[in-house]
């Protein structure tokens, strides 16, 4: 189990693309053909990467769409592990032979 929070995809985009390339959120949003507010919500971690956005990010920034979705899945699973109490759940006992 991961002991640290994986980065939200928006944080990854900001640190890997926006800052090093001195690119604004508004400029990247234009390249992605989405509103600046849509991308801003992702950058701030308020929204996640959808399959459609993964396709757009893949085309504009590179990486596969699956890798963008994987970043989101890793973050979402970590966040769920912080909230969900599994202590009262037990494996189903079956008699299948």
């Amino acid at each position: 189990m991961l002991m640290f929070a994986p980065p939200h995809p928006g944080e990854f985009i900001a640190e890997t693309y926006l800052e090093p390339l001195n690119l604004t959120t508004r400029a990247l949003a234009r390249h992605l053909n989405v509103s600046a507010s849509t991308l801003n919500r992702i950058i701030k971690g308020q929204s996640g990467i959808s399959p459609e956005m993964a396709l757009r990010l893949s085309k504009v920034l590179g990486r596969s769409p699956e890798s963008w979705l994987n970043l989101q899945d890793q973050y979402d699973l970590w966040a769920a592990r912080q909230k969900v109490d599994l202590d009262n759940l037990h494996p189903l006992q079956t008699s299948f032979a």
Side-chain angles (χ1 to χ4, degrees):
M1 180 153 106
L2 292 175
M3 298 304 289
F4 61 93
H8 185 278
E11 180 182 347
F12 178 80
I13 292 167
E15 291 177 1
T16 305
Y17 298 99
L18 296 181
E19 293 166 12
L21 298 175
N22 199 28
L23 190 62
T24 65
T25 302
R26 188 173 299 281
L28 180 55
R30 276 195 306 271
H31 286 291
L32 293 168
N33 198 28
V34 298
S35 70
S37 62
T38 295
L39 183 59
N40 195 44
R41 284 191 302 275
I42 292 171
I43 299 300
K44 289 183 175 184
Q46 297 169 343
S47 293
I49 302 292
S50 66
E52 178 183 323
M53 183 59 77
L55 291 169
R56 292 171 184 272
L57 289 167
S58 177
K59 181 73 174 185
V60 173
L61 298 178
R63 303 174 57 97
S64 69
E66 293 83 2
S67 71
W68 288 108
L69 291 174
N70 188 41
L71 283 172
Q72 186 65 54
D73 286 345
Q74 288 176 8
Y75 178 83
D76 290 345
L77 185 56
W78 179 87
R81 283 185 172 133
Q82 307 313 302
K83 295 179 187 176
V84 178
D85 180 6
L86 303 175
D87 291 341
N88 292 324
L89 300 180
H90 305 284
L92 180 64
Q93 299 298 317
T94 62
S95 59
F96 298 121

